[in-house]
Amino acid sequence: MIIEIKDLRFSYHEHHPALEGVSLEVERGERVALVGPNGAGKTTLLQHLNGILRGEGEIRIDGDILSDETLDIIRGKVGFLFQSPDDQLFSPTVYHDAAYGPVYQGLAAEEVEERVSDALEKTGMEALRDAAPYHLSVGEKKRAALATVLSMRPDILALDEPTSGLDPRGKRELVELLGEMPQTIVAATHDLAIIPKLFPRMVIMEAGRIVHDGWSEDILKDRALLARHGLA
Amino acid sequence: MSIGQVHLEPYIKGNSALHGLDARVKLAGALAMLITISTLPDGAWAFYLFCLALLAGGMLISRIPLKVFIRRAAVIELPLVLVILPVLFRGGGEAVWSAGLFNNEVAIYQGGLVRFSSLLAKLFLSILTSVLLSAATPFQDLLAAMRKLGLPRLFSAILEMMWRYLFVLVREAQRMLTARKARSSRSGESASKTGGTLAWRAKVTGNMAGTLMLRSIDRSERVYAAMKARGYDGEPRTLEMSEPSGGQTATLIAIAAGGLLVILLGNIL
Amino acid sequence: MHAPVPMHIPDGFLSITTSVLFWIFSAIVLFFALRKSEEILSDKKIPLMGVMAAAIFAGQMLNFAVTGGTSGHLLGAALAVIMVGTWPAVIVMASVVIVQALMFQDGGLVVMGANLFNMAVVGVFTANFIYSIFSRLYKHKKWALTAAAFAAGWASVFIASLSAGLQLAVSGTSPANIAIPAMAGIHALIGVGEGLITAGAAALVLKARPDLIDREELSGEDQKWVVTAGIVLSLLLVIISPLASSRPDGLEFVAERLGFMIRAQEPAFEIIPDYVLPGPLSSALATVAAGVIGIIIVAGLALAASKMSSKG
């Protein structure tokens, strides 16, 4: 069990409860899609995985309980891809952005170089290693953002709407890329089309709760179920 | 760490009598109060209390919760405290406390104590005034009031545009900070220098600032293009305020007169 | 709200005379800067300065961990100069100061003239002259621009803090030998952070949009006078500060030293006759007035010269 969430509750402020008792278990290597209408709490839940948000309840990542002491270790284990790649690209070159994670961890220069090159290669961004993120296309930015996260060698990838803003080719490329990733993946997505290829398991959220958790294959065939939860 | 849900807007909606007061009256009243507070002599405690009472009255009328004032009034910078600390050790009167320090006699004098506490009291009153003004008056109205008091139309238009994009850009900065935090981790292996060097961290922050600036330049170009498409010709145009009612003008005059009175009395006594 | 560089003087910390003087001077510079910005930017002026003011404000929230729980922040005067040029930067920084004071209680309203002077005038002019000189000296080599940005960032914060310290001393809020060294010392350190952040920002902009940094405005004729004014201003502050810091009554001391200069020009200063102001105040005031009037003269010359050169 690489992710264990027990009865997670969170409110942004007094009258805005976002998560009302969420429990979830994810095995190492699993790929889970979080779906649901806007406001269901998908992004909120994802952001608890690496401690961006801190709610009530217990969260265990790879055996460690998420707390003030384990926060920085867990951040290294969960690679978070933000919905807008612009949020996480802030360096002069793609290389520098990808290097941030390993450099922060205090790794030696050679180690940093190795990890960054590896990450750039895996995302097909080697050719653009010295490019300014400013000039990249949306698809390239998405891949660069992924590289910034892969360079930390995380065990888990938390993806927030990974295909949003991508054209069909960009989507295809990203889906192929993700398909090759060995990590455990939890992704929040509106895009049901990418689920069959990538995510055998689907978790449906609504109003801060998990309302269904099962095999994607079954759920996607169940039109009534999908309609009931605002997914079709 | 939040994902940008920080409540940035200082204005707190309401329909109290204070909210309904014309912005010009409120701005002038606030300025009168601030000038009064600034010109009151040290140790004029009765007058400080009087000002506090006036402010408390305003706060009550506004029906804005007390915690708002507490939260926003708790500001003072450390260097500035350091700068006024020596005031304690000078000034006339008897020594209230003294000690030997490195062969020197160090003492806090009564005069210095009075001056120091007066400074802090005036500081607190001033901040409270400012909080009340900004909590009870929307920014747009304050701008309009400033225009009437002489602020050039161009400057006002610039401030308005700044306000429009303030929250957007602040959230953008916050998201960048959050994303950076998400990549700031400790490796499970040999934890040598986590966090890199200070210079590197500052450089990264600079990169973020540069990114924000670049995106903002682009954004301003887009805004400009959109404005041009709507027939913008470079001239600032604004909606004009209605004239304040008779009652409001009277309030304004009363405030100004009251302020003058307090200043005079405070300085005489 | 947020805690940018701790240079914002709150209400009650400056004397009314100081506040009024600096309000007048800042208003003059701002009015002038507004007109110049209009000339330079034409109809882009509102979107550019408005959005960039918001950007600088937001930029001040970007921080980096220093030690313990403290963090370094950005003031942004130098960054503003690099991104939009001197005169628009004055307006941009002024907008930031105004909004911070009015809406977020960072800095007072009565003393805003002084804060505007420190951050929107001194900060901007200092950053500009250092950046211009540095970058021109090394003919726009990449590393030189980054180094110039660092120097401009550091100097803008440090010299602005001298101005703040002087204002506090002149007001009698704090003795000159505490106020000035305290502000100067703290901001000499903070300035390093500002320099590094500004350099980091310049490096990124240089990489992504070198065209933005290498503006012709930086090499225009007009610049000569703006740069000169910046140098004069900084020199005044840098010279008066250590002199005044030597003793608690430092400014009176300096005023006395300069007294011969003032007495020689007595007729000009009869405009503020002695009997209007209480005795001890007038010599300190005279120093400040001398400096301010000197700056106004220089600025006036710069104005006149630029008008002549642009018409020619």
Side-chain angles (χ1 to χ4, degrees):
Chain A
M1 208 64 62
I2 199 171
I3 299 177
E4 278 175 84
I5 303 175
K6 289 202 184 97
D7 199 30
L8 184 62
R9 261 156 315 178
F10 178 78
S11 303
Y12 281 106
H13 40 268
E14 271 170 38
H15 308 294
H16 187 182
L19 293 177
E20 303 200 42
V22 170
S23 298
L24 184 67
E25 281 175 2
V26 179
E27 297 271 9
R28 189 177 287 276
E30 259 202 282
R31 296 214 191 118
V32 183
L34 285 179
V35 302
N38 285 334
K42 310 190 293 294
T43 300
T44 311
L45 179 60
L46 268 187
Q47 295 199 336
H48 276 86
L49 289 180
N50 71 338
I52 294 175
L53 297 174
R54 304 281 298 278
E56 286 159 18
E58 191 186 274
I59 299 182
R60 267 181 206 271
I61 304 286
D62 199 15
D64 292 322
I65 294 188
L66 186 68
S67 68
D68 289 335
E69 292 79 40
T70 57
L71 203 51
D72 45 0
I73 292 267
I74 288 178
R75 279 200 193 117
K77 295 193 180 173
V78 180
F80 196 101
L81 201 69
F82 289 78
Q83 181 165 1
S84 167
D86 275 341
D87 290 344
Q88 54 191 116
L89 296 174
F90 44 69
S91 302
T93 65
V94 171
Y95 180 88
H96 283 104
D97 259 322
Y100 180 89
V103 172
Y104 191 93
Q105 285 183 339
L107 300 175
E110 309 85 53
E111 180 72 24
V112 171
E113 169 64 44
E114 195 201 307
R115 291 198 179 193
V116 172
S117 297
D118 194 36
L120 291 178
E121 221 185 315
K122 287 210 173 84
T123 51
M125 293 296 289
E126 253 302 331
L128 290 168
R129 93 188 335 234
D130 289 320
Y134 179 81
H135 292 295
L136 299 177
S137 70
V138 178
E140 287 164 346
K141 282 188 189 175
K142 281 265 174 184
R143 285 187 281 141
L146 189 57
T148 71
V149 147
L150 287 179
S151 60
M152 296 198 311
R153 303 256 165 99
D155 299 306
I156 300 169
L157 287 179
L159 313 175
D160 197 356
E161 304 290 346
T163 54
S164 83
L166 291 176
D167 63 11
R169 178 161 65 167
K171 269 191 209 181
R172 223 182 331 118
E173 283 172 355
L174 188 65
V175 167
E176 258 176 53
L177 207 53
L178 291 174
E180 288 161 16
M181 301 280 144
Q183 285 91 352
T184 310
I185 303 183
V186 181
T189 181
H190 279 297
D191 194 350
L192 298 185
I194 65 170
I195 294 184
K197 286 203 196 96
L198 280 177
F199 303 100
R201 181 176 161 200
M202 231 168 116
V203 169
I204 305 181
M205 287 186 75
E206 205 172 330
R209 286 178 217 269
I210 292 182
V211 294
H212 200 95
D213 183 352
W215 300 117
S216 309
E217 214 183 321
D218 300 330
I219 296 178
L220 287 171
K221 283 197 219 132
D222 191 342
R223 304 243 79 200
L225 178 66
L226 291 174
R228 203 157 56 230
H229 297 297
L231 294 170
Chain B
M1 195 169 37
S2 88
I3 53 168
Q5 298 277 340
V6 168
H7 194 64
L8 207 55
E9 167 74 70
Y11 173 59
I12 299 197
K13 261 203 180 121
N15 53 7
S16 71
L18 197 69
H19 283 83
L21 211 54
D22 189 289
R24 274 161 293 193
V25 175
K26 279 188 279 191
L27 182 61
L31 286 172
M33 175 66 90
L34 287 169
I35 294 174
T36 303
I37 295 170
S38 292
T39 48
L40 283 174
D42 293 334
W45 300 105
F47 292 92
Y48 299 164
L49 274 166
F50 179 63
C51 290
L52 184 61
L54 282 176
L55 285 170
M59 285 158 67
L60 275 167
I61 297 176
S62 74
R63 291 203 288 265
I64 294 171
L66 186 63
K67 65 175 182 205
V68 170
F69 294 98
I70 295 176
R71 201 179 354 121
R72 296 185 194 175
V75 278
I76 177 150
E77 306 281 6
L78 187 61
L80 290 160
V81 172
L82 282 177
V83 148
I84 60 169
L85 216 48
V87 160
L88 280 171
F89 303 101
R90 316 169 90 222
E94 292 169 21
V96 187
W97 169 91
S98 63
L101 200 68
F102 308 122
N103 293 331
N104 285 350
E105 185 74 17
V106 166
I108 295 183
Y109 295 95
Q110 194 186 25
L113 200 56
V114 168
R115 174 121 178 86
F116 184 75
S117 24
S118 301
L119 266 173
L120 286 181
K122 287 157 93 174
L123 171 63
F124 173 69
L125 289 170
S126 303
I127 290 181
L128 208 56
T129 310
S130 180
V131 172
L132 184 58
L133 177 68
S134 60
T137 322
F139 182 72
Q140 303 289 2
D141 292 357
L142 278 175
L143 264 190
M146 292 198 286
R147 274 200 305 274
K148 285 287 167 166
L149 295 174
L151 184 73
R153 294 251 301 249
L154 177 56
F155 212 144
S156 166
I158 291 169
L159 286 168
E160 197 170 351
M161 173 113 0
M162 175 192 180
W163 192 251
R164 268 258 306 279
Y165 285 95
L166 200 60
F167 306 108
V168 175
L169 290 177
V170 163
R171 280 193 243 282
E172 196 171 322
Q174 283 172 334
R175 285 201 304 274
M176 257 198 273
L177 286 170
T178 303
R180 181 180 67 174
K181 205 137 211 241
R183 303 213 298 271
S184 306
S185 65
R186 184 157 50 100
S187 114
E189 303 143 16
S190 70
S192 59
K193 197 120 201 286
T194 306
T197 65
L198 184 70
W200 174 76
R201 288 199 297 275
K203 186 201 76 150
V204 169
T205 309
N207 291 339
M208 291 165 82
T211 304
L212 193 62
M213 295 302 124
L214 268 189
R215 291 194 195 146
S216 301
I217 296 253
D218 287 346
R219 193 186 285 270
S220 76
E221 301 268 340
R222 287 198 300 274
V223 171
Y224 172 62
M227 286 165 84
K228 273 220 103 130
R230 291 203 294 262
Y232 176 60
D233 58 1
E235 285 316 300
R237 278 189 179 69
T238 48
L239 288 169
E240 284 316 323
M241 286 178 103
S242 56
E243 285 303 314
S245 65
Q248 305 219 9
T249 315
T251 317
L252 180 56
I253 295 174
I255 293 174
L260 265 162
L261 196 65
V262 175
I263 296 175
L264 284 168
L265 285 174
N267 277 291
I268 293 172
L269 297 171
Chain C
M1 206 201 85
H2 61 286
V5 174
M7 211 187 302
H8 297 70
I9 300 177
D11 274 329
F13 274 44
L14 295 182
S15 68
I16 288 288
T17 330
T18 312
S19 302
V20 169
L21 256 179
F22 279 100
W23 255 120
I24 294 174
F25 186 64
S26 295
I28 294 173
V29 178
L30 283 171
F31 269 92
F32 185 62
L34 208 58
R35 283 234 318 275
K36 286 299 283 183
S37 300
E38 223 171 336
E39 266 173 48
I40 298 170
L41 300 175
S42 74
D43 59 351
K44 275 196 191 173
K45 54 192 183 287
I46 295 178
L48 185 65
M49 289 191 278
V51 175
M52 288 313 283
I56 295 283
F57 185 98
Q60 294 186 344
M61 309 191 95
L62 297 173
N63 63 348
F64 62 96
V66 175
T67 173
T70 58
S71 58
H73 284 265
L74 176 74
L75 176 66
L79 191 52
V81 169
I82 293 174
M83 296 305 298
V84 298
T86 316
W87 295 114
V90 171
I91 300 298
V92 162
M93 291 308 292
S95 304
V96 173
V97 169
I98 290 173
V99 167
Q100 279 174 335
L102 201 54
M103 306 309 277
F104 300 108
Q105 289 75 53
D106 266 331
L109 295 176
V110 174
V111 301
M112 206 191 318
N115 284 326
L116 285 170
F117 181 74
N118 299 341
M119 291 179 266
V121 180
V122 174
V124 168
F125 273 66
T126 305
N128 176 60
F129 95 74
I130 290 199
Y131 188 71
S132 304
I133 291 181
F134 249 85
S135 56
R136 223 175 312 174
L137 265 180
Y138 293 97
K139 302 281 185 252
H140 303 272
K141 286 203 182 51
K142 274 201 181 130
W143 65 265
L145 284 181
T146 317
F150 175 86
W154 182 86
S156 67
V157 162
F158 179 69
I159 299 197
S161 76
L162 292 182
S163 179
L166 279 163
Q167 287 158 352
L168 289 164
V170 149
S171 299
T173 310
S174 183
N177 67 341
I178 301 265
I180 301 170
M183 289 299 268
I186 291 171
H187 288 89
L189 275 166
I190 292 179
V192 175
E194 179 89 9
L196 287 170
I197 296 180
T198 312
L204 186 134
V205 176
L206 201 56
K207 171 79 176 115
R209 288 283 301 273
D211 57 302
L212 276 182
I213 283 201
D214 218 344
R215 279 185 324 270
E216 58 180 73
E217 204 227 347
L218 280 176
S219 48
E221 263 308 299
D222 213 19
Q223 274 293 304
K224 272 214 196 105
W225 302 104
V226 178
V227 167
T228 313
I231 296 176
V232 168
L233 196 50
S234 303
L235 276 176
L236 265 169
L237 288 165
V238 163
I239 289 172
I240 295 182
S241 301
L243 284 178
S245 312
S246 56
R247 350 165 354 153
D249 59 344
L251 278 155
E252 284 79 356
F253 178 65
V254 171
E256 250 165 87
R257 281 291 174 87
L258 298 173
F260 74 90
M261 205 179 86
I262 293 170
R263 255 167 257 128
Q265 298 170 8
E266 199 115 72
F269 288 93
E270 288 293 22
I271 302 170
I272 314 173
D274 228 18
Y275 64 80
V276 170
L277 305 158
L281 194 55
S282 62
S283 54
L285 210 52
T287 317
V288 173
V292 167
I293 290 172
I295 293 166
I296 292 178
I297 292 174
V298 171
L301 283 173
L303 236 176
S306 69
K307 277 222 151 62
M308 284 190 287
S309 64
S310 62
K311 277 187 187 141

